[in-house]
Amino acid sequence: MSDKLKGKNAVVTGAGRGIGREIALALAAEGAKVVVVDPGVSRGGEGTDLAPADEVVAEIKKRGGKAVASYNSVADFKAAEGIIKQCVDSFGHIDILINGAGILREKMVWNLSEEDWDMVITVHLKGTFNCSRHAAGFMREQRYGRIISLTSDAWRGTVGQSNYGAAKGGIVSFTRSIARELGRYGVTCNCVAPMAATRMTLTEEVKAGWRKRYEAGLITKEHLDELLNMPGPEYIPPVVTYLASDKAGNINGQVFHIEKGRVAIYSEPVEVRAIYKTEAGGMWTFGDLEQAVPKTLLVGYVNPAPQEEKR
Ligand SMILES: NC(=O)c1ccc[n+]([C@@H]2O[C@H](COP(=O)([O-])OP(=O)(O)OC[C@H]3O[C@@H](n4cnc5c(N)ncnc54)[C@H](O)[C@@H]3O)[C@@H](O)[C@H]2O)c1
């Protein structure tokens, strides 16, 4: 046990398995009291199982820490309120919120059902909103808080997971917004995009899917090898613990990538070039744009998915 987070109370959602589990154990090892939130659903979000959350609580206690379990789903606004209140009622206040709950429903967009879309958006994006919304009031009031939300590199665009990519992109935009709303109250909001072998990323079925994508020419051999040799989730918590600590009080609205020994930071999404029409009342025509865009705005541009030859 260490004391970098002594006196702090944390909620970790999706803490029963994978990355959330490692984060919950690490925060507790640094002295934080932890609400371990996990209804124990399947990879696709079905069913419930109390065992994963109970096991993590037992492990934290065995190591000398303090933790309680919540089996509430982050997808439900009221249930999320209950999660945050449980932290305040059990431990006195809430200082740290880790939004880690997640599910996957992978299909190409033309095969996605409405339910596949709704479930993934609801657990990830709405779940992050739900918990952050309820934590924000307490954190603003006490003028201290840390909200760290799990996004994914998929936020930049991905194949076969457009619902997930959209949810994770939404989490980045949401985080950048609430960082600007809450920063002045001593509450920081950041994202981490991990890469780690869990049931989400490295089941036999997932591996077969990656190989299929490689064979279809959708990913490179280098990317395939990287995915098949993914490091474990135990590399993720140190960055999260740092961001959750007093030492990171001036880090706000940022997106970090974490993968084994590599920690990276994303650039700000800024406009890189602009063209201006000065004549004709400042209005571009189709013909102007057809001429100007390839020679100006899109110099050096590469289409991420060019049309293939007809077979
Ligand atoms: N593993 C990776 O490489 C990777 C990459 C990018 C992003 N992420 C993100 O990291 C987070 C953790 O993923 P993981 O790989 O550890 O997956 P995981 O499946 O091992 O763990 C996710 C946990 O979330 C729980 N959960 C699902 N729906 C929930 C809900 N409605 N309420 C509360 N808990 C719920 C599940 O029961 C599960 O225990 C997710 O947000 C995921 O999108 C993971």
Side-chain angles (χ1 to χ4, degrees), residues 271-301:
E271 294 176 352
V272 288
R273 276 176 214 155
I275 51 175
Y276 301 88
K277 178 85 175 177
T278 48
E279 316 90 56
M283 187 178 294
W284 289 92
T285 64
F286 185 101
D288 291 337
L289 290 168
E290 195 186 9
Q291 289 294 315
V293 169
K295 292 187 202 142
T296 54
L297 293 183
L298 293 184
V299 169
Y301 152 84

Side-chain angles (χ1 to χ4, degrees), residues 14 17 19 38-39 41 73-74 100 124 151 164 168 194 196 198-199 201:
R17 301 189 183 94
I19 295 169
D38 209 308
V41 300
S73 168
V74 300
H124 288 275
T151 182
Y164 182 73
K168 291 308 200 186
T198 65
R199 72 171 183 170
T201 44

Side-chain angles (χ1 to χ4, degrees), residues 76-294:
D76 183 278
F77 189 71
K78 268 275 164 222
E81 183 177 28
I83 291 170
I84 303 302
K85 282 207 167 130
Q86 187 180 351
C87 184
V88 175
D89 294 344
S90 307
F91 303 137
H93 48 98
I94 172 164
D95 308 291
I96 300 163
L97 167 64
I98 312 294
N99 288 305
I103 60 166
L104 269 185
R105 301 253 180 129
E106 299 136 304
K107 286 169 199 162
M108 292 305 232
V109 66
W110 51 88
N111 292 323
L112 273 182
S113 69
E114 185 180 5
E115 196 207 347
D116 293 331
W117 175 268
D118 287 345
M119 285 281 289
V120 168
I121 297 288
T122 304
V123 171
H124 288 275
L125 182 54
K126 189 177 175 203
T128 297
F129 160 70
N130 286 343
C131 294
S132 304
R133 156 70 180 81
H134 294 299
F138 290 106
M139 290 178 173
R140 177 174 175 265
E141 190 70 22
Q142 75 196 2
R143 298 183 90 81
Y144 185 91
R146 300 279 182 268
I147 298 177
I148 300 159
S149 300
L150 278 286
T151 182
S152 158
D153 291 344
W155 79 278
R156 299 183 294 182
T158 177
V159 173
Q161 306 179 314
S162 57
N163 49 353
Y164 182 73
K168 291 308 200 186
I171 289 172
V172 170
S173 299
F174 175 67
T175 299
R176 290 174 57 84
S177 300
I178 62 171
R180 284 158 174 77
E181 294 179 8
L182 288 164
R184 69 170 68 174
Y185 303 106
V187 181
T188 65
C189 309
N190 294 287
C191 279
V192 295
M195 168 104 59
T198 65
R199 72 171 183 170
M200 201 181 257
T201 44
L202 220 58
T203 59
E204 285 311 314
E205 205 185 336
V206 175
K207 285 187 200 172
W210 290 126
R211 288 197 187 97
K212 235 168 97 183
R213 281 183 209 191
Y214 165 64
E215 279 152 21
L218 294 170
I219 58 171
T220 61
K221 176 79 171 67
E222 202 183 10
H223 193 195
L224 175 71
D225 289 343
E226 195 181 88
L227 291 164
L228 296 179
N229 295 303
M230 221 180 279
E234 65 277 12
Y235 291 95
I236 311 303
V239 179
V240 176
T241 307
Y242 167 61
L243 290 174
S245 76
D246 290 347
K247 302 282 180 200
N250 202 32
I251 304 175
N252 197 18
Q254 301 305 304
V255 183
F256 293 85
H257 169 95
I258 318 166
E259 181 186 352
K260 203 172 180 185
R262 181 170 175 274
V263 180
I265 186 114
Y266 271 105
S267 62
E268 291 290 305
V270 291
E271 294 176 352
V272 288
R273 276 176 214 155
I275 51 175
Y276 301 88
K277 178 85 175 177
T278 48
E279 316 90 56
M283 187 178 294
W284 289 92
T285 64
F286 185 101
D288 291 337
L289 290 168
E290 195 186 9
Q291 289 294 315
V293 169

